[in-house]
Amino acid sequence: MTSHQLPLLNRMSVYLHDIPLSQAQARLREALQESNLWRTLGAEEIRLDENALGRVAAEPIWAEISSPHYHASAMDGFAVRAVDTVGAQPSAPVMLYTGPQAQYVDTGDPLPEWANAVIPIENVESLDENDQITKEIRKPKSIRIRASVAPWAHVRPLGEDIVATQLVLPAGHILKPADLGAIAAAGHQTIRVARKPKVAILPTGTELVPIGSKLKAGDILEYNSLVLAAQIKQMGGEPTRYPITVDDFDLICEQVAEAAKTHDLVLLNAGSSAGAEDFSSRVVEKLGTLLVHGVAVRPGHPVILGTINLGHQTMDNVPIIGVPGYPVSAALTIDIFVEPVIAKWLGRRPLELPTETAILTRKLVSPAGDDDFVRVVVGKVGQKLLAAPLSRGAGVITSLVQADGLALIPSGTQGMEAGEEIQVRLYRSKVEIEKTILAIGSHDLTLDLIAQFLAEHDRRLASANVGSQGGLVALRRGEAHVAGSHLLDPQNGEYNISYIRQYMPDIPVKVVALVGRDQGLIVKKGNPKGIQTLKDLTNPKVQFVNRQRGAGTRVLLDYHLNLMTISSDSIAGYNQEEYTHLGVAAAVASGRADCGLGVAAAAQALDLDFIPLFQERYDLVIPKQFAEDDLLAPLFDLLVDVRFRESVSKLKGYDVSVMGNVILED
Amino acid sequence: MTSHQLPLLNRMSVYLHDIPLSQAQARLREALQESNLWRTLGAEEIRLDENALGRVAAEPIWAEISSPHYHASAMDGFAVRAVDTVGAQPSAPVMLYTGPQAQYVDTGDPLPEWANAVIPIENVESLDENDQITKEIRKPKSIRIRASVAPWAHVRPLGEDIVATQLVLPAGHILKPADLGAIAAAGHQTIRVARKPKVAILPTGTELVPIGSKLKAGDILEYNSLVLAAQIKQMGGEPTRYPITVDDFDLICEQVAEAAKTHDLVLLNAGSSAGAEDFSSRVVEKLGTLLVHGVAVRPGHPVILGTINLGHQTMDNVPIIGVPGYPVSAALTIDIFVEPVIAKWLGRRPLELPTETAILTRKLVSPAGDDDFVRVVVGKVGQKLLAAPLSRGAGVITSLVQADGLALIPSGTQGMEAGEEIQVRLYRSKVEIEKTILAIGSHDLTLDLIAQFLAEHDRRLASANVGSQGGLVALRRGEAHVAGSHLLDPQNGEYNISYIRQYMPDIPVKVVALVGRDQGLIVKKGNPKGIQTLKDLTNPKVQFVNRQRGAGTRVLLDYHLNLMTISSDSIAGYNQEEYTHLGVAAAVASGRADCGLGVAAAAQALDLDFIPLFQERYDLVIPKQFAEDDLLAPLFDLLVDVRFRESVSKLKGYDVSVMGNVILED
């Protein structure tokens, strides 16, 4: 949202009129009630076919007919009167004449009026042609049986499944495959279902460009409408995506007024800045009533709730929601404010995610006034269900992609400590979560390849990058199954072992080599500053970017700086930290730094130059108790998988000759 | 399936070549492997829009670009060099000149190359016009700040969300709304997804008629294809429903061969009788290879697995499954045999239902040789999760509709005892299950209305009909929340109380009247046998149908028979039992009986005549501990709901004046 058309009065003091979440939801509900819109929107009659799947029954479905609608044979056999079979025993068979006493029936055939039981064909002997089986066995003159049958044995009586007039399904039921069969069996060939609520999605902002555009700085890809439309579709609504509207007040008003005429709900996705939603709120004020301007919820603060008046009469309103521009805020706004409305309009129950109690892996600080929704990765380590918070940035849509659930830090609390129990609403089933391998530690590009290969073998890899030492600490705390580590011991030049003994004493482990890899300096294309060795980092014109404390790459740097007696104080940017190799590469690519130490693959990925300096080994550290667990078996399989080895060897600067070597096994 | 075209040799000794389930699944998998069909079928490129929802990524999705693709301001404010702000404090402000030292940026704007931090606008004072806020505040000549900022504060650095080349999503991932946004943010506007497997569904059988047909005895509504198509659609396949084919061997062969040319899988739904699937197996034998004929699984026995050879070359095969005709068997066959194949073809993980341990409410007998799948209602009563088996008839599709889950009695066991723990794969979320009110006891038509009204108030009613005494016993065992009861005490003419004390001593209860209702004789339209009183039941020409032992209606009958000194032995059909009022009515409607004792509504429902004899009270019995539970609150609300009262009073023979009266409260 650029701001050149905005009135600027009070810009410096602009603030959001945050009201609590529950109040905001109540205001929207009340406004809908006042406009007689807090109800089911209406029904439509559709053919009963597979497209009815997922639709919502608009009315109770009562049975028109019974099923079966006659007494049906449940077996292939002979229909008889039970009374005629009394006394039949192995040693004392009873003979029945076909016609008056026994009649052949296939499964599903109606019983003759005089019959009340069926004898399965395998219990019948033919009496024709010297007891031999004949071609016309179904019409022997007589049969012999050696057991009696009870009345109604092997019969599906009228109404066994459905009795005419009974309730088949209540209104509000979401139709599943078997439901369609039951509705058909009850005599229907059409069904009245709730009309899909029509939702208009209007992206506005001069800075927005359609997905797939060639980008220049300041351009923002407009993909929120895509996510919102998919959310609406998933909820059972019918989304309409409008093209991007530039920041022109009159144009937006026109679009909104137009959309309101043909939709049940308008979503105005108008940038996330205070300026931008100020703009949206003025649109709402001009065309109707502004109900809420800012909600005390994170992410999602600058939500706007209102109604557009269609002008015919006071009550002729259409709700409008000003959706924040940041993608995570936008998606959450739909879940929090739109889902309950769609549910009401469809007459179905609101979606409710299953909740589990998990242990928070790190401290979370939260503003006391806000309901704070935190995306978390959930995994089961040993017997503990853990919730590891993901990036809390409202702009980080990958945090939603990776999230297994949503934890709420309610308003009134200022955060939670690591180790505390927290309630998590799960996006994934527990089955899936129990197949998640939690990897924490040093970042390596091969982790993405591992993730892809594991996905093919019914495992999910959730990885968090906290550096090698952080990974070992996480293992000690029982917060991960595996840690990637490349910690060089300056004393003996060995990797990882002394650190493992130091950080996780008394925990038996298995350590397996993953790769050997080049570490070196990532520099701009063409290496404009002519950087060649660590010595060049002391050049005051060279801006360095470092990895965070505890990262193996940082240990490696410090080790070599020490050997070369270079003081870290002499390096500009030594304290500027990134958490991944790619983060370092991105810093160089963007010009924030001239160089950083990292792996070749990261330089290659962002089309940068790379000056190899050292080779190092990257290991997987796995507590013994998990190394023997079925969960991790596919990970060990990977290490001997030719396809995987090939994929890794294609990455520049990687050496797979050590892959799978057992370094340590307690 | 009629059988007049079938060869009849060996009909009496026909048997199913049952092989264990796991073997059958393995044979199908091996056959697909041999035909090179045990793999993903292929990919197609689609636009990245909301219709991509639910599709399966055919390849790993790697980021083409970073997001943000430039350093973006995370706030509305002024871009600055962090170093210029050092030392700023409340008492010692720092002044910055706009232009060289500070530049206004909106959220999302790119940072100027020289800047590395943003000061939010609310932390900035304008120094123009005597510190007053002006209309052009974004371009004051200078600003004043009273706090320093750290480098990169309020900046979204390049790649914060996504770094070019990183893995966004692995192949095989099922696309959710947020995923679409992340894929777009990573620079894609199309996506390669797995092609939907095409599945042909061929219903065959001369007895089949399309849904909505006017029925005569022996006609079977063909709705299996509807359920199967919906299942295939839900799994991510593309179903084609063929019209019904009559039982003509050549015609079916022709249809199957035709369907195999254009589909990845053929489902031949050909009746459930031994004769019928014999027919299917011959079709498979003629057109290709019969792999499996009969599987030791209940329901589902007569499953046929095979391949159709397209004739071009040996490996050019299309799998075919002969699906049993009974609807429950058919649906289960799709879950067991087709789902894993569709999953493989799409490259996604197979569906896995979450499993919970529940307590079985009644004994189950099972053939030792079979894997026996039992549909169960699951509910939480107090702290116990209970699994109550539903009808096990393969023809009872409503058992699938009502099922909350599926329990497996594995082959090798002959059943399970009541009270044993059983693993249940849940169809519904635990959230829903915990909102289920388990009602057990006497059947009343108002239970359907209660189910409908409760559904509107976020509760589900699962009711089982075991008679009034059975309901009280279930309450004592802690297996239900509420029991419907209308047990007359012959000693004092009171309802229920003495029985409650007898069957559930020491359990405090609340008893609330639901309705007063007429009990009387349900007779054929026009009352052809002229039945008027209970005395007429002793007429040997009158066939009676009774309710089961323990049913309130039976107690009522016995009470009055006793008063009238009529012996039950003198009543033909006294021992013929039905479990519901509608069951009794259906027995009369079908001619199985001439009359039975029941409620007027049941007679009305099936268009029968009714001779009222007595009025009785039907109560709800609720253990005190549940009466005060939030779960049951909507049930109590119902009893004072005008709309509900009106609906009930519309049923013939019902008196709502007592509704809600508290009969007993311990």
Side-chain angles (χ1 to χ4, degrees):
Chain A
M1 165 75 64
T2 58
S3 51
H4 40 276
Q5 305 93 337
L6 299 179
L8 295 159
L9 217 57
N10 289 322
R11 276 301 296 275
M12 294 242 170
S13 59
V14 81
Y15 70 98
L16 303 175
H17 316 279
D18 285 3
I19 64 169
L21 176 55
S22 56
Q23 262 182 46
Q25 287 171 317
R27 271 198 212 174
L28 179 62
R29 195 170 53 242
E30 283 156 20
L32 289 173
Q33 279 163 343
E34 282 161 20
S35 303
N36 190 27
L37 289 172
W38 189 247
R39 55 171 174 84
T40 51
L41 280 186
E44 59 184 349
E45 187 150 352
I46 61 167
R47 273 184 53 204
L48 191 61
D49 63 25
E50 63 269 27
N51 296 314
L53 191 68
R55 299 297 295 268
V56 180
E59 299 163 358
I61 298 161
W62 305 96
E64 296 284 336
I65 56 174
S66 297
S67 175
H69 58 102
Y70 58 91
H71 298 317
S73 175
M75 305 284 278
D76 292 354
F78 284 85
V80 297
R81 264 180 299 261
V83 69
D84 292 345
T85 71
V86 170
Q89 288 181 25
S91 57
V94 163
M95 196 195 76
L96 298 172
Y97 286 101
T98 55
Q101 287 189 303
Q103 180 181 317
Y104 180 79
V105 283
D106 270 316
T107 304
D109 281 351
L111 249 54
E113 291 220 349
W114 51 263
N116 70 350
V118 169
I119 304 175
I121 196 160
E122 54 268 34
N123 299 344
V124 170
E125 297 163 19
S126 166
L127 280 178
D128 293 5
E129 306 192 16
N130 304 323
D131 296 359
Q132 291 304 300
I133 289 157
T134 78
K135 276 210 168 194
E136 276 297 314
I137 202 64
R138 283 169 302 112
K139 290 172 186 169
K141 290 203 188 74
S142 54
I143 59 172
R144 190 159 62 186
I145 55 170
R146 293 179 186 273
S148 63
V149 286
W152 307 106
H154 308 302
V155 174
R156 296 185 59 216
L158 187 158
E160 182 198 42
D161 190 0
I162 297 171
V163 179
T165 77
Q166 83 169 64
L167 181 71
V168 181
L169 288 167
H173 183 84
I174 301 170
L175 299 172
K176 304 186 306 307
D179 300 334
L180 305 183
I183 296 167
H188 301 274
Q189 59 179 326
T190 61
I191 178 173
R192 288 180 66 76
V193 294
R195 167 170 86 68
K196 293 186 179 184
K198 291 183 193 141
V199 180
I201 300 164
L202 280 69
T204 72
T206 305
E207 76 286 8
L208 298 181
V209 297
I211 63 168
S213 301
K214 189 128 188 79
L215 299 174
K216 59 179 195 307
D219 285 349
I220 292 178
L221 279 174
E222 196 294 290
Y223 57 78
N224 277 353
S225 66
L226 182 61
V227 178
L228 268 49
Q231 288 181 290
I232 296 298
K233 192 180 174 203
Q234 199 170 47
M235 290 167 186
E238 196 174 286
T240 311
R241 289 170 67 191
Y242 280 71
I244 296 162
T245 309
V246 294
D247 289 321
D248 178 311
F249 183 77
D250 294 330
L251 219 88
I252 296 176
C253 283
E254 209 175 284
Q255 282 268 30
V256 167
E258 196 56 38
K261 278 185 205 155
T262 49
H263 291 83
D264 301 302
L265 170 65
V266 176
L267 302 178
L268 187 59
N269 188 214
S272 60
S273 70
E277 45 77 53
D278 217 34
F279 206 64
S280 294
S281 69
R282 287 202 304 125
V283 170
V284 176
E285 274 171 339
K286 172 162 175 180
L287 298 177
T289 308
L290 182 67
L291 301 167
V292 170
H293 186 178
V295 180
V297 59
R298 284 203 349 159
H301 258 250
V303 175
I304 287 164
L305 306 176
T307 54
I308 302 299
N309 188 269
L310 293 182
H312 308 301
Q313 34 179 321
T314 336
M315 265 184 45
D316 201 1
N317 295 324
V318 171
I320 182 166
I321 297 183
V323 178
Y326 276 133
V328 179
S329 309
L332 229 60
T333 297
I334 302 305
D335 284 341
I336 294 173
F337 292 101
V338 178
E339 210 298 311
V341 175
I342 299 272
K344 189 72 195 176
W345 284 349
L346 286 172
R348 64 160 169 79
R349 44 186 300 164
L351 295 182
E352 251 179 302
L353 297 174
T355 301
E356 292 282 344
T357 303
I359 294 163
L360 196 61
T361 58
R362 60 180 176 77
K363 181 184 171 133
L364 286 175
V365 178
S366 171
D370 287 357
D371 278 317
D372 193 355
F373 290 96
V374 181
R375 283 86 69 206
V376 294
V377 164
V378 181
K380 197 168 183 183
V381 178
Q383 290 311 303
K384 282 195 293 186
L385 201 65
L386 299 174
L390 285 157
S391 164
R392 299 176 71 185
V396 181
I397 190 158
T398 49
S399 68
L400 270 182
V401 170
Q402 289 160 13
D404 297 320
L406 201 59
L408 172 64
I409 304 180
S411 67
T413 52
Q414 292 198 301
M416 297 185 69
E417 296 298 322
E420 272 195 81
E421 286 194 340
I422 193 165
Q423 294 298 110
V424 180
R425 304 183 203 171
L426 294 183
Y427 291 143
R428 291 179 215 270
S429 74
K430 269 186 91 176
V431 181
E432 269 185 279
I433 282 169
E434 288 175 4
K435 291 188 173 171
T436 298
I437 298 175
L438 289 183
I440 195 163
S442 170
H443 183 254
D444 185 78
L445 288 180
T446 53
L447 290 174
D448 277 354
L449 291 173
I450 292 179
Q452 174 55 46
F453 274 77
L454 284 179
E456 293 167 19
H457 295 91
D458 201 23
R459 294 292 181 277
R460 202 166 55 95
L461 184 77
S463 56
N465 310 317
V466 298
S468 292
Q469 288 178 20
L472 300 182
V473 170
L475 286 187
R476 185 185 66 214
R477 290 203 200 129
E479 291 175 356
H481 301 105
V482 51
S485 182
H486 56 114
L487 289 167
L488 177 67
D489 185 341
Q491 307 302 318
N492 57 15
E494 245 186 25
Y495 280 92
N496 297 320
I497 295 179
S498 61
Y499 292 88
I500 290 168
R501 296 309 183 206
Q502 178 190 346
Y503 285 98
M504 37 192 301
D506 309 325
I507 299 181
V509 294
K510 181 167 185 173
V511 180
V512 186
L514 183 61
V515 286
R517 60 181 192 180
D518 288 346
Q519 284 268 21
L521 287 170
I522 296 167
V523 297
K524 287 210 183 73
K525 195 80 184 168
N527 193 7
K529 300 222 168 156
I531 301 161
Q532 294 304 334
T533 72
L534 293 185
K535 189 73 199 148
D536 296 326
L537 304 186
T538 58
N539 179 342
K541 284 188 182 151
V542 170
Q543 180 75 21
F544 182 71
V545 58
N546 206 348
R547 289 294 306 282
Q548 84 284 8
R549 225 170 292 248
T553 300
R554 183 146 167 175
V555 173
L556 189 71
L557 175 72
D558 292 345
Y559 172 67
H560 286 284
L561 290 180
N562 192 38
L563 287 180
M564 298 166 76
T565 63
I566 300 171
S567 158
S568 64
D569 291 343
S570 64
I571 300 173
Y574 180 88
N575 293 316
Q576 187 184 324
E577 297 182 347
E578 284 291 337
Y579 279 76
T580 68
H581 292 280
L582 283 168
V584 167
V588 174
S590 72
R592 243 169 69 211
D594 297 308
C595 70
L597 193 65
V599 295
Q604 188 185 24
L606 297 198
D607 198 25
L608 298 167
D609 277 1
F610 181 74
I611 301 142
L613 295 180
F614 335 105
Q615 209 204 35
E616 64 165 8
R617 207 182 65 230
Y618 182 96
D619 293 339
L620 297 178
V621 184
I622 303 160
K624 191 96 175 169
Q625 63 166 140
F626 305 134
E628 284 149 15
D629 198 301
D630 189 48
L631 177 72
L632 267 72
L635 181 61
F636 287 102
D637 294 345
L638 256 197
L639 301 178
V640 293
D641 181 316
V642 177
R643 274 200 315 137
F644 176 68
R645 201 171 273 245
E646 266 174 25
S647 316
V648 175
S649 63
K650 277 186 197 143
L651 296 173
K652 198 179 156 194
Y654 276 78
D655 169 13
V656 295
S657 62
V658 295
M659 187 179 286
N661 291 355
V662 176
I663 305 300
L664 175 66
E665 191 160 14
D666 287 330
Chain B
M1 165 76 61
T2 57
S3 51
H4 40 276
Q5 306 94 336
L6 298 181
L8 294 159
L9 218 57
N10 289 321
R11 275 300 297 276
M12 293 240 171
S13 61
V14 81
Y15 69 97
L16 304 175
H17 317 279
D18 285 3
I19 63 169
L21 176 54
S22 57
Q23 262 184 46
Q25 286 171 318
R27 271 199 211 175
L28 179 62
R29 195 171 53 243
E30 284 155 20
L32 290 172
Q33 279 163 344
E34 282 161 20
S35 303
N36 189 26
L37 288 172
W38 188 247
R39 55 170 174 84
T40 51
L41 281 187
E44 60 184 349
E45 186 148 353
I46 61 167
R47 273 184 53 204
L48 192 60
D49 64 23
E50 64 268 27
N51 296 315
L53 191 68
R55 298 299 294 268
V56 180
E59 299 163 357
I61 299 161
W62 305 96
E64 297 283 337
I65 56 173
S66 297
S67 175
H69 57 102
Y70 57 90
H71 298 316
S73 176
M75 305 282 280
D76 292 354
F78 284 86
V80 297
R81 265 180 297 263
V83 70
D84 294 344
T85 70
V86 170
Q89 288 182 24
S91 58
V94 164
M95 196 195 76
L96 299 172
Y97 287 102
T98 56
Q101 288 188 305
Q103 180 182 315
Y104 181 79
V105 283
D106 270 316
T107 305
D109 281 350
L111 248 55
E113 291 220 347
W114 50 264
N116 71 349
V118 169
I119 305 175
I121 195 160
E122 53 268 34
N123 299 344
V124 170
E125 296 164 20
S126 166
L127 280 176
D128 294 6
E129 305 194 17
N130 305 321
D131 297 0
Q132 290 305 299
I133 289 158
T134 78
K135 276 210 167 196
E136 277 296 316
I137 203 63
R138 283 169 303 113
K139 292 172 186 168
K141 290 206 188 71
S142 55
I143 58 170
R144 192 159 60 188
I145 55 167
R146 293 179 184 273
S148 63
V149 285
W152 307 105
H154 308 301
V155 174
R156 296 185 59 217
L158 187 158
E160 181 198 41
D161 190 359
I162 296 170
V163 180
T165 78
Q166 83 169 64
L167 180 72
V168 182
L169 288 167
H173 183 85
I174 301 171
L175 299 172
K176 302 186 309 307
D179 301 333
L180 305 184
I183 296 166
H188 301 275
Q189 58 180 326
T190 61
I191 179 174
R192 287 180 66 77
V193 294
R195 167 170 88 67
K196 293 186 179 184
K198 291 183 194 143
V199 180
I201 301 164
L202 280 69
T204 70
T206 305
E207 74 286 9
L208 297 181
V209 296
I211 63 168
S213 302
K214 191 129 187 78
L215 299 174
K216 59 181 195 307
D219 286 348
I220 293 179
L221 279 173
E222 196 293 291
Y223 57 78
N224 278 353
S225 68
L226 181 62
V227 177
L228 268 48
Q231 287 180 291
I232 296 296
K233 193 181 174 202
Q234 198 169 49
M235 291 167 186
E238 197 174 285
T240 311
R241 290 169 65 191
Y242 279 70
I244 296 163
T245 309
V246 294
D247 289 322
D248 177 310
F249 183 77
D250 295 330
L251 219 88
I252 297 175
C253 283
E254 208 175 285
Q255 282 268 28
V256 167
E258 196 55 38
K261 279 185 205 155
T262 49
H263 291 82
D264 301 300
L265 171 65
V266 177
L267 301 178
L268 186 60
N269 188 214
S272 60
S273 68
E277 45 76 54
D278 217 34
F279 207 63
S280 293
S281 68
R282 287 202 304 127
V283 170
V284 176
E285 275 170 338
K286 171 163 177 179
L287 298 176
T289 308
L290 182 66
L291 301 166
V292 170
H293 187 178
V295 180
V297 59
R298 287 207 341 164
H301 259 250
V303 175
I304 288 164
L305 307 176
T307 54
I308 301 299
N309 188 270
L310 293 182
H312 308 301
Q313 35 180 320
T314 336
M315 262 183 48
D316 200 2
N317 295 324
V318 172
I320 182 166
I321 297 183
V323 179
Y326 276 133
V328 179
S329 309
L332 230 60
T333 297
I334 302 304
D335 286 341
I336 293 174
F337 292 101
V338 179
E339 210 298 312
V341 175
I342 299 271
K344 189 72 195 175
W345 284 349
L346 287 171
R348 64 161 169 78
R349 45 188 297 163
L351 294 181
E352 250 180 303
L353 297 175
T355 301
E356 292 283 342
T357 304
I359 294 163
L360 195 63
T361 59
R362 60 180 175 79
K363 181 183 173 134
L364 286 175
V365 178
S366 172
D370 287 357
D371 276 316
D372 193 355
F373 290 96
V374 182
R375 284 85 70 205
V376 295
V377 164
V378 181
K380 197 170 183 182
V381 178
Q383 290 311 303
K384 283 195 292 187
L385 201 64
L386 300 174
L390 285 156
S391 164
R392 300 176 72 184
V396 181
I397 190 157
T398 50
S399 69
L400 270 182
V401 169
Q402 289 161 14
D404 297 320
L406 201 59
L408 172 65
I409 304 179
S411 68
T413 52
Q414 292 199 302
M416 297 186 68
E417 295 298 322
E420 272 195 80
E421 285 194 342
I422 192 166
Q423 294 297 111
V424 180
R425 304 184 202 171
L426 293 182
Y427 291 142
R428 290 180 215 271
S429 74
K430 269 187 88 175
V431 181
E432 270 184 279
I433 282 169
E434 288 175 3
K435 291 188 174 170
T436 298
I437 299 175
L438 288 184
I440 195 162
S442 171
H443 183 254
D444 186 78
L445 288 180
T446 54
L447 290 175
D448 277 354
L449 292 173
I450 291 179
Q452 174 55 47
F453 274 77
L454 284 178
E456 294 168 18
H457 295 90
D458 202 22
R459 293 293 181 278
R460 200 165 56 93
L461 185 77
S463 55
N465 309 317
V466 298
S468 293
Q469 288 176 19
L472 299 182
V473 170
L475 287 187
R476 184 185 67 212
R477 291 203 200 129
E479 291 175 356
H481 301 105
V482 50
S485 182
H486 57 115
L487 289 167
L488 178 67
D489 184 341
Q491 307 302 319
N492 57 16
E494 246 186 24
Y495 279 93
N496 297 319
I497 295 178
S498 60
Y499 291 88
I500 290 168
R501 295 310 182 206
Q502 178 189 347
Y503 284 99
M504 37 192 302
D506 309 324
I507 298 181
V509 293
K510 183 168 183 172
V511 180
V512 187
L514 182 61
V515 287
R517 60 181 192 180
D518 289 347
Q519 284 267 23
L521 288 169
I522 297 168
V523 297
K524 288 210 182 74
K525 195 79 182 168
N527 192 7
K529 300 223 170 158
I531 300 160
Q532 293 304 334
T533 73
L534 293 185
K535 189 71 201 149
D536 297 324
L537 304 186
T538 59
N539 180 341
K541 285 188 180 151
V542 170
Q543 180 74 21
F544 182 70
V545 58
N546 207 349
R547 289 295 305 282
Q548 84 284 9
R549 228 170 290 248
T553 300
R554 182 146 168 176
V555 173
L556 189 72
L557 175 72
D558 292 345
Y559 173 68
H560 285 284
L561 290 179
N562 192 40
L563 285 182
M564 295 166 77
T565 62
I566 301 172
S567 157
S568 63
D569 291 343
S570 64
I571 300 173
Y574 180 88
N575 292 318
Q576 186 184 326
E577 296 182 348
E578 284 291 334
Y579 279 76
T580 68
H581 291 281
L582 282 168
V584 167
V588 174
S590 72
R592 242 171 67 213
D594 297 309
C595 70
L597 193 64
V599 294
Q604 187 185 24
L606 296 199
D607 197 27
L608 299 166
D609 276 0
F610 181 75
I611 301 141
L613 295 179
F614 335 104
Q615 208 202 37
E616 63 166 7
R617 207 180 65 229
Y618 182 95
D619 294 339
L620 297 178
V621 183
I622 303 160
K624 191 96 177 171
Q625 63 166 136
F626 305 134
E628 283 148 16
D629 198 301
D630 190 47
L631 177 71
L632 267 72
L635 180 62
F636 288 102
D637 293 346
L638 257 197
L639 301 178
V640 292
D641 181 316
V642 177
R643 274 199 316 138
F644 176 68
R645 202 172 273 244
E646 266 174 25
S647 316
V648 176
S649 63
K650 277 185 198 144
L651 296 173
K652 197 178 157 193
Y654 276 78
D655 170 12
V656 295
S657 63
V658 294
M659 186 179 286
N661 290 355
V662 177
I663 305 300
L664 173 66
E665 190 161 15
D666 287 329

